[in-house]
Structures are given as C-alpha cells and as structure tokens.
Amino acid sequence: MEQPASGAEPADGAGDAVEALDRPLPEGVRRRVVALVSDAFGGLTVTELPAQLRQYARFTPTRRAKFAGNAMAAALEGDTLFRQRIGERLRESQPELTAAVEAGSPPAAADPVDVAAAAYVLRPVGWVKLVAAAGEEVQRADAERADEESRRELERLREELAQARTLTKSETERLRAELDAARKEADALQRKLRSALNEVKRGEAAVRRGKAETETVRTEAAARISAAESETRRLRARLGEAEASVEAGRRAAREGRSVEDMRLRLLLDTVLDAARGLRRELALPPSSIRPADSVDAVEPGAMTPKDIATRALSETDPALLDQLLALPQAHLIVDGYNVTKTGYPQLPLEKQRLRLLGGLAVLAAQSGAEMTCVFDGAELAAPVLLAPPRGVRVLFSKPGVTADELIRQLARAEPPGRPVVVVSTDREVADGVAKVGARPVASVLLLKRLSRV
C-alpha cells in the first residue's frame, strides 16, 4: 500500500502535511494496520463509516480482515476523518502504546510492527521513520528467520547425508554378501548341471535300450495277435454252426406251439361271442351311478354364506372367515381404513395401507378367493404411488364419493347368489351390503385371521 504525495490529501497535522512514505508499507505492518481497522470497525456506526465499507458493517473482525482488507486500507489512506475515528478507537483500546507513539518515544519492549501500525494510523511527527524502522526490523527478523531455517535445513541435509552414507555402506556390504552367495549358488548349479548332463546321457542310453526291447516286444505281440486272429476265426465258425443249430430248434418249437395257440384263441372267441349274445338278450342299460351315490349326506362346498351364519361359530372366530372364503367364487371386500384404524391406528396411513395389503396378499394366495380393498380417497393429499400386491385389487374412492358408498356399489355389482363377504365395523356399511345379499363381518375377525398369516 503506497502513500500518495504529501499534498494529495487534507492535512490533519503539521507532520502529516509534510511526511509521506516513499515505498509500500511492509507486509507485516500492513496486515497489522488492517487488523487494527477491523477491530475498531465494530465500534463505529454505519453513518460514521465510508460508503464503500458500510456493506461490511455486520461482518466479524476476521471476515472483515479477509474480505474487506484492501477496501479498509484504501479508506484509511484516503479518508482523513475515518483515519481519525480509527485513531480514537485505538487510543481507547491501547492508551499506553498510543500515548508513547504520539510522544515520539515508543516503548523499547513493544513490537516494532505494533508501533509502526499505530504510527501509521495516528500520524504523529516522525511516523514515516517509525514505519520505515519497523519495515527494516521486519526484514531483519525475516532474514534472521530465513538464516535460521537455512541453518536447520543444512543440519537436516547433513544428517540425511550421513544416514545415506551409512545406508549406502550397509547396502554395499549386503550386496557383496549377496554376490558371494550368488557365486556360491552358481558354482553349486554348475555342479548340478554337470550331474544332470550325465543323468541325461545315462537316460538316453536307457531309452535306446528301451526302444530295442520295445521292438522285440512288438514282434512277439504281432506273432501272438496273428495266432489269436486264427483262433478267433475258428471260434466264429463254430459259433455260426451253433447259431444255425439253435435257430433250427426254435423253428421246430414255434411250429409245435402255433397249434396250441390256435386252439386257445378259438376257445376265447367262443366265450366272448357268448357274452355279447347274453348282453343283447338281457338289454341292460349303461350304468352312470354307483351304490355309494345312493347314501344321503351333505357334499363338501354345498353350503352358502347363510348356512355358515347359522353354525355355532363366534362372530370373532377366524374359522368363520376361512369357511366363508372356502365357498366357490367367494369375493372378499375390505373397508381398508376401518380395518387399519381398528388394528394399528398409531401408524401413518401409508404404513397402515402397506401392512394391510401385505396380509391380504398372503390370504389371497392361501384361499384363492377374489379380494378387493377399498380406501377413502378424501384423505389423500396427492396421488398414491402404490403397486397393488398379487391377488388383491386396490381401489380409492373418487372426490365426492366416500369409501362406504364405493363398497355398497361393489356389493350391488355382484350377481345374485355369488358369495360376497364385506369386512367393516361400520354399521351403515354392514346394513347396506346385507340388503343386497352380501355377508358383513367385523374388522376384528379379519385382523385375527391375518395375525395367523
């Protein structure tokens, strides 16, 4: 951050009018100045801030220093009134340091950077020298730190060199040992190779001997094969003679048996003709019933929902529902929310539906009955994304139509005589479906049956 010429800004003191920096602020001093402005920033009202800094009024000091550092430095340099207000805040927060700087005798133990930053803000007589001295001190400190870092780096490199030399020496010794071991192993391998060559030569001699023996064996085998083939031809000739003899015996046996078969067949044909003549004489009609059909009894599947209702079963006995679903072409209609709010009202509606439909799917697979589950569509805030389970029809009532009315429509749509069972505790639903011939049952009955699934 450079200081403009001495006549570029309004004078706020005798020294400020003639003193100006001839070089940019040292970076350390500039950071400290920005930090001082950021800390004092919060003590000013919005109207006391320059226009370009008012947008940062609500920032924390750290964020102001990070995002508005350049803007604050420019305002401090170009706005004398703003600099004076920052100086007043600095006097309030660091009275001893500011008093010493303005008196021209900064404390010897004070940080030169703090002294230079305070002098830059307060602008006492000789402030340029204080800032320049701080810059030289910072450069000297940086040079000392760089020298110290160089010295430590040199020491580290020396240590690494010593370690590398030690490692190289140990590695060289290890490689020499490995080289000696490799030479010894090579000598041993050469000895083994010579031994193997000798073994190969002996093996080749054995192979030659084996070939000669094999040739001898082949000659003997050829002679034996020739003798075996001669014996085979002789045996085949004898076998042909034996087969001819056997065939002659079979022909003689077939000729003797054919006479007996002819006599037996003639007798069987005579008996069959006599039986057909007797059936014509008696003129008996074909029989379509059996003696067991004449016994009076109740056949399975011959009952109706009304017959089951008269049996001695409790209205909450799951066996009653099993008997109803066992009827031919039974149709079970379920008042969905009536069942779920009876069995598990604490669950959300979505989980109530999923739990009920899962149980109905298993029940449909077990019973084979047609099943329809009806839910009230008035409680839906949006269309339901639901894949109906296998064997269960899922319906939602239209706007303006209740689930109870939809259930009564389903019951009226069935033909007279078909077994229709409606599950609902609602008395209006039960009475309505009973008028069209359906059998109402309580929701607790279905819940007990599903608990066994």
Side-chain angles (χ1 to χ4, degrees), residues 200-215:
V200 169
K201 291 178 180 179
R202 288 193 293 269
E204 290 177 350
V207 168
R208 287 193 294 271
R209 290 194 300 271
K211 286 182 178 180
E213 293 176 357
T214 302
E215 191 63 29

PDB file of all heavy atoms in Angstrom, residues 200-215:
ATOM      1  N   VAL A 200      21.317 -87.251 -18.057  1.00  0.00           N
ATOM      2  CA  VAL A 200      20.650 -87.246 -19.365  1.00  0.00           C
ATOM      3  C   VAL A 200      21.301 -88.259 -20.297  1.00  0.00           C
ATOM      4  O   VAL A 200      20.616 -88.989 -21.025  1.00  0.00           O
ATOM      5  CB  VAL A 200      20.701 -85.829 -19.966  1.00  0.00           C
ATOM      6  CG1 VAL A 200      20.263 -85.855 -21.432  1.00  0.00           C
ATOM      7  CG2 VAL A 200      19.794 -84.888 -19.180  1.00  0.00           C
ATOM      8  N   LYS A 201      22.622 -88.304 -20.282  1.00  0.00           N
ATOM      9  CA  LYS A 201      23.306 -89.268 -21.132  1.00  0.00           C
ATOM     10  C   LYS A 201      22.920 -90.689 -20.755  1.00  0.00           C
ATOM     11  O   LYS A 201      22.671 -91.538 -21.621  1.00  0.00           O
ATOM     12  CB  LYS A 201      24.809 -89.086 -21.028  1.00  0.00           C
ATOM     13  CG  LYS A 201      25.299 -87.771 -21.653  1.00  0.00           C
ATOM     14  CD  LYS A 201      26.802 -87.610 -21.479  1.00  0.00           C
ATOM     15  CE  LYS A 201      27.275 -86.290 -22.098  1.00  0.00           C
ATOM     16  NZ  LYS A 201      28.746 -86.090 -21.922  1.00  0.00           N
ATOM     17  N   ARG A 202      22.910 -90.934 -19.427  1.00  0.00           N
ATOM     18  CA  ARG A 202      22.504 -92.274 -18.990  1.00  0.00           C
ATOM     19  C   ARG A 202      21.050 -92.542 -19.397  1.00  0.00           C
ATOM     20  O   ARG A 202      20.702 -93.669 -19.789  1.00  0.00           O
ATOM     21  CB  ARG A 202      22.674 -92.406 -17.485  1.00  0.00           C
ATOM     22  CG  ARG A 202      24.147 -92.488 -17.059  1.00  0.00           C
ATOM     23  CD  ARG A 202      24.262 -92.945 -15.620  1.00  0.00           C
ATOM     24  NE  ARG A 202      23.732 -91.941 -14.704  1.00  0.00           N
ATOM     25  CZ  ARG A 202      24.474 -90.974 -14.150  1.00  0.00           C
ATOM     26  NH1 ARG A 202      25.773 -90.880 -14.445  1.00  0.00           N
ATOM     27  NH2 ARG A 202      23.938 -90.102 -13.320  1.00  0.00           N
ATOM     28  N   GLY A 203      20.187 -91.512 -19.312  1.00  0.00           N
ATOM     29  CA  GLY A 203      18.793 -91.694 -19.708  1.00  0.00           C
ATOM     30  C   GLY A 203      18.653 -91.983 -21.186  1.00  0.00           C
ATOM     31  O   GLY A 203      17.822 -92.810 -21.597  1.00  0.00           O
ATOM     32  N   GLU A 204      19.451 -91.309 -22.014  1.00  0.00           N
ATOM     33  CA  GLU A 204      19.395 -91.573 -23.448  1.00  0.00           C
ATOM     34  C   GLU A 204      19.818 -93.004 -23.765  1.00  0.00           C
ATOM     35  O   GLU A 204      19.200 -93.668 -24.615  1.00  0.00           O
ATOM     36  CB  GLU A 204      20.286 -90.579 -24.179  1.00  0.00           C
ATOM     37  CG  GLU A 204      19.749 -89.140 -24.157  1.00  0.00           C
ATOM     38  CD  GLU A 204      20.716 -88.180 -24.826  1.00  0.00           C
ATOM     39  OE1 GLU A 204      21.859 -88.606 -25.115  1.00  0.00           O
ATOM     40  OE2 GLU A 204      20.330 -87.012 -25.064  1.00  0.00           O
ATOM     41  N   ALA A 205      20.841 -93.487 -23.061  1.00  0.00           N
ATOM     42  CA  ALA A 205      21.261 -94.885 -23.275  1.00  0.00           C
ATOM     43  C   ALA A 205      20.149 -95.838 -22.871  1.00  0.00           C
ATOM     44  O   ALA A 205      19.866 -96.836 -23.569  1.00  0.00           O
ATOM     45  CB  ALA A 205      22.527 -95.165 -22.482  1.00  0.00           C
ATOM     46  N   ALA A 206      19.473 -95.500 -21.719  1.00  0.00           N
ATOM     47  CA  ALA A 206      18.366 -96.356 -21.279  1.00  0.00           C
ATOM     48  C   ALA A 206      17.234 -96.324 -22.300  1.00  0.00           C
ATOM     49  O   ALA A 206      16.565 -97.340 -22.549  1.00  0.00           O
ATOM     50  CB  ALA A 206      17.879 -95.891 -19.912  1.00  0.00           C
ATOM     51  N   VAL A 207      16.969 -95.113 -22.907  1.00  0.00           N
ATOM     52  CA  VAL A 207      15.907 -95.010 -23.905  1.00  0.00           C
ATOM     53  C   VAL A 207      16.225 -95.882 -25.117  1.00  0.00           C
ATOM     54  O   VAL A 207      15.337 -96.540 -25.662  1.00  0.00           O
ATOM     55  CB  VAL A 207      15.728 -93.530 -24.312  1.00  0.00           C
ATOM     56  CG1 VAL A 207      14.852 -93.418 -25.559  1.00  0.00           C
ATOM     57  CG2 VAL A 207      15.105 -92.738 -23.169  1.00  0.00           C
ATOM     58  N   ARG A 208      17.492 -95.864 -25.532  1.00  0.00           N
ATOM     59  CA  ARG A 208      17.864 -96.712 -26.679  1.00  0.00           C
ATOM     60  C   ARG A 208      17.641 -98.183 -26.352  1.00  0.00           C
ATOM     61  O   ARG A 208      17.126 -98.932 -27.177  1.00  0.00           O
ATOM     62  CB  ARG A 208      19.316 -96.445 -27.055  1.00  0.00           C
ATOM     63  CG  ARG A 208      19.525 -95.085 -27.738  1.00  0.00           C
ATOM     64  CD  ARG A 208      20.908 -95.009 -28.368  1.00  0.00           C
ATOM     65  NE  ARG A 208      21.951 -95.041 -27.340  1.00  0.00           N
ATOM     66  CZ  ARG A 208      22.447 -93.961 -26.741  1.00  0.00           C
ATOM     67  NH1 ARG A 208      21.972 -92.761 -27.060  1.00  0.00           N
ATOM     68  NH2 ARG A 208      23.415 -94.059 -25.851  1.00  0.00           N
ATOM     69  N   ARG A 209      18.046 -98.564 -25.127  1.00  0.00           N
ATOM     70  CA  ARG A 209      17.803 -99.968 -24.743  1.00  0.00           C
ATOM     71  C   ARG A 209      16.302-100.254 -24.704  1.00  0.00           C
ATOM     72  O   ARG A 209      15.855-101.334 -25.120  1.00  0.00           O
ATOM     73  CB  ARG A 209      18.426-100.254 -23.383  1.00  0.00           C
ATOM     74  CG  ARG A 209      19.962-100.268 -23.404  1.00  0.00           C
ATOM     75  CD  ARG A 209      20.505-100.889 -22.124  1.00  0.00           C
ATOM     76  NE  ARG A 209      20.072-100.150 -20.933  1.00  0.00           N
ATOM     77  CZ  ARG A 209      20.736 -99.123 -20.406  1.00  0.00           C
ATOM     78  NH1 ARG A 209      21.870 -98.709 -21.000  1.00  0.00           N
ATOM     79  NH2 ARG A 209      20.311 -98.525 -19.333  1.00  0.00           N
ATOM     80  N   GLY A 210      15.506 -99.284 -24.196  1.00  0.00           N
ATOM     81  CA  GLY A 210      14.063 -99.496 -24.133  1.00  0.00           C
ATOM     82  C   GLY A 210      13.438 -99.631 -25.513  1.00  0.00           C
ATOM     83  O   GLY A 210      12.522-100.422 -25.723  1.00  0.00           O
ATOM     84  N   LYS A 211      13.946 -98.835 -26.466  1.00  0.00           N
ATOM     85  CA  LYS A 211      13.429 -98.948 -27.818  1.00  0.00           C
ATOM     86  C   LYS A 211      13.702-100.330 -28.405  1.00  0.00           C
ATOM     87  O   LYS A 211      12.837-100.916 -29.072  1.00  0.00           O
ATOM     88  CB  LYS A 211      14.069 -97.879 -28.701  1.00  0.00           C
ATOM     89  CG  LYS A 211      13.544 -96.470 -28.442  1.00  0.00           C
ATOM     90  CD  LYS A 211      14.186 -95.471 -29.392  1.00  0.00           C
ATOM     91  CE  LYS A 211      13.616 -94.068 -29.171  1.00  0.00           C
ATOM     92  NZ  LYS A 211      14.229 -93.072 -30.081  1.00  0.00           N
ATOM     93  N   ALA A 212      14.919-100.848 -28.158  1.00  0.00           N
ATOM     94  CA  ALA A 212      15.236-102.183 -28.676  1.00  0.00           C
ATOM     95  C   ALA A 212      14.330-103.228 -28.045  1.00  0.00           C
ATOM     96  O   ALA A 212      13.808-104.125 -28.736  1.00  0.00           O
ATOM     97  CB  ALA A 212      16.710-102.497 -28.400  1.00  0.00           C
ATOM     98  N   GLU A 213      14.128-103.107 -26.727  1.00  0.00           N
ATOM     99  CA  GLU A 213      13.247-104.068 -26.054  1.00  0.00           C
ATOM    100  C   GLU A 213      11.825-103.925 -26.562  1.00  0.00           C
ATOM    101  O   GLU A 213      11.112-104.935 -26.739  1.00  0.00           O
ATOM    102  CB  GLU A 213      13.302-103.833 -24.545  1.00  0.00           C
ATOM    103  CG  GLU A 213      14.661-104.154 -23.930  1.00  0.00           C
ATOM    104  CD  GLU A 213      14.713-103.810 -22.450  1.00  0.00           C
ATOM    105  OE1 GLU A 213      13.684-103.266 -21.953  1.00  0.00           O
ATOM    106  OE2 GLU A 213      15.733-104.076 -21.800  1.00  0.00           O
ATOM    107  N   THR A 214      11.383-102.673 -26.800  1.00  0.00           N
ATOM    108  CA  THR A 214      10.020-102.457 -27.303  1.00  0.00           C
ATOM    109  C   THR A 214       9.838-103.085 -28.672  1.00  0.00           C
ATOM    110  O   THR A 214       8.795-103.679 -28.975  1.00  0.00           O
ATOM    111  CB  THR A 214       9.735-100.948 -27.379  1.00  0.00           C
ATOM    112  OG1 THR A 214       9.906-100.365 -26.088  1.00  0.00           O
ATOM    113  CG2 THR A 214       8.341-100.675 -27.878  1.00  0.00           C
ATOM    114  N   GLU A 215      10.828-102.966 -29.502  1.00  0.00           N
ATOM    115  CA  GLU A 215      10.733-103.558 -30.823  1.00  0.00           C
ATOM    116  C   GLU A 215      10.604-105.074 -30.725  1.00  0.00           C
ATOM    117  O   GLU A 215       9.813-105.696 -31.461  1.00  0.00           O
ATOM    118  CB  GLU A 215      11.986-103.181 -31.637  1.00  0.00           C
ATOM    119  CG  GLU A 215      11.896-103.508 -33.109  1.00  0.00           C
ATOM    120  CD  GLU A 215      10.806-102.740 -33.804  1.00  0.00           C
ATOM    121  OE1 GLU A 215      10.492-101.595 -33.351  1.00  0.00           O
ATOM    122  OE2 GLU A 215      10.235-103.265 -34.782  1.00  0.00           O
TER     123      GLU A 215
END
